[in-house]
Amino acid sequence: MPASPSSQTLPVEGMSCASCSARVEKALRAVPGVEQVSVNLATATAHVTGTASRTALIQAVEQAGYDVPSPPITLRIEGMSCAACSTRVEKSLQDVIGVRMASVNLATATAQVTGTATHQALISAIQKMGFAASLLEGETGLENALTQKQRMKQAMKTQWRDLMMSALLWLAILFMTMGHGFGLIPPAIQPLLQWALASVALLGPGRRFYQAGIPALLHRAPNMNSLVALGTGAAYLYSSLVVFCPTLMPAGTQHLYFDTILAILTLVLLGRMMEARAKGRTSAALEKLTHLQPQHAHLLTEGTCRIVPVAQIQTGDRLLVRPGERVPLDGIVLEGESHLDESLLTGEPMPALRQVGDTVIGGTINQEGTLTVQATATGADTMLARIISMVAQAQGGKLPIQSLVDKVTLWFVPAIILLAVLTFLIWLFLGPAPALGHALVNAIAVLIAACPCAMGLATPTAIMVGTGKAAEMGILFRKGEALQTLESTTLVAFDKTGTLTAGQPRMTEFYLLDKNTSDHPEQAENTLLALAASVETQSDHPVSRAIVTAAQERDLPSVKTRHARIMPGLGIEAQDEDGQSIHLGSQACMRALGFHNAEANRLAAELSQKGTSPLFMAHGGQIVALMGVADPIRPSAMKAVAALRAQNIRTAMITGDIEPTARHIARLAGIEEVIAQVLPHEKGEAIRTLQKTHGSVAFVGDGINDAPALAQADTGLAISHGTDIAIEAADLVLTGESLMTVPNALALSRATMTIIRQNLFWAFAYNIVLLPIAAGVLYPFTGTLLSPPFAAGAMALSSIFVLCNTLRLRRLRTVVETETSTEV
């Protein structure tokens, strides 16, 4: 049985010009089984349709002299507890031979690695650092999210058990130290009993700190676990000497610190559990998305309907969707009519009407009618799975601002250990009696008070919440770093057709210009329209679809044409059955071909003045007709531009349409600057010009011709109904029909970056203020010392503060909601 055609996307490195992309395209077309090839220089990708294997395609590209980088390896890492952990793991991965780039995310406990290194070598490097790692392979974004949720629940269960055990042991020791056991426990055995309880605590709940902290210390890569292990270990050894060898200790220093050990363990575990709960809330949006996927579907086969798992559904299967049910998978409506609630996927609050022939998205809710749907995508290919994958990928990303944190945390823990040693020595030689006791307690306080956790959580948790909130608003961040680049935007440039306009133009006028057809104008018009429609079927441009639709509405018979060829930015050409040339395009196209018609130019100017795009038709070397195509502006365009202006963001339009039409649409939308009659390859240059004038530029587009501009812009925003190539070139994908997602994305970016800066300020300020106090700098002036249990509580509080501050992003309202509440 022959393999069915499939679509593949290959990243291609080394292309620097149009001849490079043409060479790659030629090499791929020569591979047996390849049906269609599209190589995009701007996005450095090749889209191939056919039955050829990926291996054969890669070999063809490499033989042409270019590289196909291996897909990134994603690893799940267990045991990381602070920024020092993630930074050290990242450094160890970067040191592996063959690694080009490694990025470790503390909040998601994952690592993304690109290069030629094997996953075995990467896992081995992580294990040497004292952490466990596994390969995330073959899991869709949905499966990965569900797995991560299950692991988090199990970890929370273990943490709760350890916390309860530690708290009970702490209470038992406090019972003995406060009131000497109230006479119930003989004083002679109390020290030994405290030692036994502390030993159980270190072997049980505290074991995790030693298992992760000591190997990291031995590898000269200490982390937060190392600090807790050193602090509690020092107190345990000191107290054990007091219990078993009291004569070795100087007089006046024979104190037990078992209660301190248990207090540290209990408070650190409490902080980590609260931290884990808050971190779980940061991925709430992703969890909501995972719940949208139905587990079962009603499969229609030979007149019968049976319930089967969604995993068994194949492309082409017919499914029954009843009122109130979620659509199982992406598909096309075969029978029925209903409104679908798509709000959780698109951010659009109003239900959308879906009829026969319309597409439906898996996970949306069918409201009132019964639908028969044919599945068009399954598994990882569905819109929901792709959205989950995009959100998960963005949540695992790093912002440029994180690089400062990484540099600090790399040296933070070693510096804390050095500070603890200095504190111990200063108190031992300069401190009051009992000097040894003071030296030990203050050194432990320094070790425990230090908290790189807050630093490490400041950025990734904000990314998780920000990108999750964005997904709820119909904004998908393909790259997490776009959260930072979008914040600095000073100008937003829009494409016109399909972006500012609805992208569903209609033919509104048809003018005959051939004087030989005056005897039968209606028949001549239909003949030319049928001929034009036949040519335009070879293009997917919205204007082309308008001509085809107009011919279909008149029930015109199909006409044969051949040798159709797209002229990028100008139009399309073909030949009729007699071999005569047919050209359909703009006035610039006619000018380039040397065709001229004064009447056509006059009519075109009139159409342009009222915002209707003129389409010239030439047949047999002369202009024979002029068609007017109008594309209504989106209702949300004016609101979106006004909202951007309220945020002090300038706006511009970049379009291939003629200037009068472009300026008419710009006036309607309220756009300030217009760049018209731009060819596709010139759009990138137009963005560069705007960047030189205005600074950071964001571009919103949807077509293949927008890919260079999307790639060149500081931040590219693609409309999700656009082409795959445009989406690949973009940093963000806007899933709804409303352009209000653009100002919403900017507002969200600014709010997220504000939260990140607040988090980092708190994390650094906490350590700057508390560490000197823990070292005892206030003692000579006020007699104040920071006890280790209080230091442990303050350490936990700093992380919890950062997480709670981040969670404020979940309450962020959209620009639309803000305007509504203001009006009310």
Side-chain angles (χ1 to χ4, degrees):
M1 183 178 176
S4 58
S6 62
S7 179
Q8 300 184 60
T9 301
L10 300 177
V12 182
E13 289 185 349
M15 296 190 298
S16 58
C17 61
S19 62
C20 294
S21 55
R23 193 175 295 115
V24 171
E25 188 168 317
K26 182 180 178 183
L28 289 170
R29 286 190 189 281
V31 177
V34 170
E35 295 177 5
Q36 290 182 333
V37 178
S38 174
V39 179
N40 189 285
L41 178 62
T43 60
T45 55
H47 296 263
V48 184
T49 303
T51 58
S53 67
R54 190 177 183 87
T55 303
L57 298 174
I58 292 173
Q59 287 176 350
V61 173
E62 290 176 344
Q63 286 172 5
Y66 303 91
D67 295 322
V68 178
S70 302
I73 295 174
T74 304
L75 302 172
R76 182 184 284 121
I77 304 172
E78 296 179 31
M80 295 192 301
S81 59
C82 67
C85 299
S86 57
T87 304
R88 297 286 179 180
V89 170
E90 185 170 289
K91 189 175 183 301
S92 69
L93 289 172
Q94 290 170 344
D95 291 339
V96 175
I97 296 173
V99 170
R100 183 178 304 158
M101 188 277 293
S103 175
V104 178
N105 188 293
L106 174 63
T108 57
T110 57
Q112 285 271 350
V113 185
T114 57
T116 57
T118 63
H119 70 271
Q120 293 93 339
L122 299 173
I123 291 173
S124 176
I126 294 171
Q127 289 173 340
K128 286 179 182 177
M129 298 297 296
F131 301 96
S134 58
L135 178 67
L136 280 176
E137 186 179 37
E139 286 188 357
T140 64
L142 178 62
E143 292 166 342
N144 185 21
L146 292 172
T147 302
Q148 185 70 8
K149 180 185 173 186
Q150 190 60 37
R151 295 170 75 89
M152 190 174 288
K153 284 179 66 177
Q154 185 59 42
M156 287 280 292
K157 186 177 179 181
T158 303
Q159 284 181 331
W160 177 254
R161 183 199 63 203
D162 288 349
L163 174 62
M164 288 296 98
M165 183 177 178
S166 179
L168 289 173
L169 292 171
W170 184 25
L171 289 173
I173 291 180
L174 286 177
F175 178 75
M176 285 181 272
T177 56
M178 297 174 65
H180 303 287
F182 301 99
L184 299 175
I185 301 173
I189 67 168
Q190 283 187 24
L192 190 62
L193 193 55
Q194 287 185 41
W195 173 84
L197 293 174
S199 299
V200 171
L202 290 180
L203 291 171
R207 186 177 68 253
R208 65 177 66 198
F209 300 108
Y210 291 84
Q211 285 178 331
I214 298 303
L217 196 61
L218 295 175
H219 285 95
R220 293 182 294 178
N223 53 36
M224 190 64 216
N225 291 311
S226 305
L227 298 181
V228 175
L230 285 173
T232 56
Y236 179 78
L237 289 174
Y238 183 94
S239 301
S240 298
L241 285 173
V242 172
V243 172
F244 295 106
C245 305
T247 56
L248 295 178
M249 309 303 293
T253 64
Q254 297 172 353
H255 300 292
L256 298 179
Y257 295 102
F258 293 123
D259 58 332
T260 299
I261 295 170
L262 268 298
I264 291 170
L265 290 180
T266 302
L267 290 171
V268 172
L269 286 170
L270 175 63
R272 288 202 178 176
M273 199 186 80
M274 294 176 70
E275 202 175 279
R277 290 187 60 157
K279 281 164 70 176
R281 289 171 63 195
T282 63
S283 58
L286 191 58
E287 188 175 332
K288 280 183 186 177
L289 289 172
T290 62
H291 289 158
L292 296 183
Q293 175 66 68
Q295 298 303 306
H296 297 87
H298 298 283
L299 177 64
L300 296 172
T301 52
E302 299 177 355
T304 63
C305 179
R306 56 194 179 94
I307 299 176
V308 299
V310 168
Q312 294 182 10
I313 302 297
Q314 296 181 351
T315 303
D317 285 347
R318 296 169 69 245
L319 309 172
L320 183 68
V321 186
R322 296 169 179 167
E325 294 180 342
R326 291 193 182 275
V327 178
L329 297 164
D330 297 356
I332 297 176
V333 178
L334 299 179
E335 297 176 17
E337 178 181 305
S338 182
H339 284 85
L340 269 63
D341 180 358
E342 301 176 347
S343 57
L344 279 175
L345 289 176
T346 65
E348 301 286 349
M350 295 299 292
L353 177 64
R354 294 292 179 252
Q355 301 169 307
V356 174
D358 290 342
T359 59
V360 292
I361 305 171
T364 54
I365 303 173
N366 180 25
Q367 293 199 329
E368 76 279 350
T370 300
L371 300 175
T372 300
V373 175
Q374 184 178 43
T376 56
T378 61
D381 296 326
T382 64
M383 175 67 79
L384 177 59
R386 289 167 65 190
I387 287 174
I388 291 172
S389 181
M390 281 187 193
V391 174
Q393 186 176 356
Q395 289 187 340
K398 273 193 174 184
L399 303 190
I401 198 172
Q402 180 69 20
S403 59
L404 170 66
V405 180
D406 291 343
K407 289 175 184 176
V408 172
T409 53
L410 190 62
W411 300 104
F412 181 82
V413 176
I416 293 302
I417 294 174
L418 179 61
L419 179 62
V421 172
L422 288 174
T423 301
F424 181 85
L425 294 175
I426 290 171
W427 277 93
L428 183 63
F429 293 109
L430 303 178
L436 182 60
H438 280 113
L440 180 67
V441 170
N442 288 317
I444 292 172
V446 168
L447 290 170
I448 302 304
C451 187
C453 305
M455 296 180 204
L457 293 170
T459 300
T461 52
I463 295 175
M464 290 180 71
V465 178
T467 53
K469 179 67 178 178
E472 294 177 5
M473 295 160 64
I475 305 161
L476 301 179
F477 281 84
R478 294 188 66 249
K479 302 169 186 175
E481 57 266 28
L483 268 171
Q484 183 168 342
T485 59
L486 189 61
E487 181 212 22
S488 59
T489 299
T490 55
L491 180 141
V492 175
F494 293 89
D495 170 51
K496 182 179 77 71
T497 305
T499 302
L500 283 172
T501 60
Q504 298 174 340
R506 298 186 62 82
M507 190 187 79
T508 55
E509 281 96 357
F510 193 107
Y511 299 102
L512 281 172
L513 301 169
D514 186 357
K515 304 302 181 185
N516 298 324
T517 60
S518 57
D519 293 339
H520 305 283
E522 186 176 347
Q523 181 181 346
E525 181 178 323
N526 288 338
T527 301
L528 290 175
L529 180 57
L531 195 62
S534 175
V535 176
E536 294 288 13
T537 54
Q538 308 301 313
S539 171
D540 65 350
H541 193 278
V543 171
S544 301
R545 291 197 293 270
I547 302 303
V548 174
T549 301
Q552 290 172 344
E553 288 174 350
R554 297 189 188 187
D555 293 324
L556 299 180
S558 60
V559 180
K560 289 185 179 180
T561 55
R562 58 189 180 183
H563 305 311
R565 185 179 72 87
I566 302 291
M567 296 181 289
L570 295 173
I572 187 171
E573 65 177 356
Q575 291 181 357
D576 62 15
E577 287 188 291
D578 297 328
Q580 285 191 306
S581 62
I582 307 167
H583 292 89
L584 288 137
S586 63
Q587 191 170 11
C589 175
M590 298 297 114
R591 195 179 299 119
L593 294 168
F595 301 157
H596 176 76
N597 186 299
E599 179 67 7
N601 292 342
R602 185 187 65 78
L603 291 169
E606 290 179 3
L607 290 173
S608 300
Q609 290 301 325
K610 61 179 184 178
T612 301
S613 298
L615 179 69
F616 291 76
M617 180 178 182
H619 187 208
Q622 64 176 351
I623 299 174
V624 295
L626 181 73
M627 290 161 269
V629 178
D631 187 8
I633 191 170
R634 288 178 186 269
S636 60
M638 288 170 282
K639 286 185 179 180
V641 171
L644 289 170
R645 192 181 299 116
Q647 296 180 39
N648 296 318
I649 304 293
R650 293 181 62 84
T651 53
M653 178 201 293
I654 303 175
T655 177
D657 211 339
I658 60 175
E659 188 144 343
T661 303
R663 290 203 175 276
H664 177 79
I665 296 295
R667 276 195 301 272
L668 290 177
I671 289 176
E672 303 157 76
E673 192 169 342
V674 175
I675 304 175
Q677 292 177 279
V678 179
L679 296 175
H681 67 276
E682 296 173 338
K683 284 194 172 184
E685 185 58 41
I687 292 292
R688 273 190 287 273
T689 302
L690 290 172
Q691 287 169 328
K692 290 176 184 176
T693 307
H694 300 284
S696 182
V697 173
F699 180 77
V700 188
D702 71 320
I704 293 175
N705 60 341
D706 295 325
L710 288 165
Q712 174 61 37
D714 296 276
T715 311
L717 297 87
I719 309 291
S720 66
H721 65 247
T723 64
D724 288 341
I725 293 176
I727 291 172
E728 285 292 331
D731 303 300
L732 282 76
V733 178
L734 310 177
T735 62
E737 293 296 322
S738 173
L739 286 176
M740 285 303 294
T741 48
V742 177
N744 282 337
L746 279 155
L748 178 69
S749 172
R750 290 178 173 182
T752 302
M753 291 308 300
T754 298
I755 290 290
I756 288 174
R757 291 188 182 98
Q758 290 172 352
N759 287 348
L760 290 175
F761 171 81
W762 168 260
F764 282 108
Y766 162 86
N767 284 287
I768 290 169
V769 172
L770 203 61
L771 282 174
I773 296 174
V777 73
L778 295 180
Y779 185 79
F781 309 103
T782 63
T784 301
L785 289 175
L786 188 69
S787 69
F790 185 85
M795 179 200 68
L797 186 64
S798 68
S799 295
I800 294 165
F801 178 89
V802 163
L803 287 162
C804 291
N805 188 47
T806 298
L807 289 171
R808 291 193 301 120
L809 276 173
R810 292 176 61 185
R811 298 197 298 271
L812 180 74
R813 294 189 300 170
T814 65
V815 174
V816 175
E817 289 171 341
T818 305
E819 289 177 347
T820 304
S821 63
T822 304
E823 290 170 6
V824 175

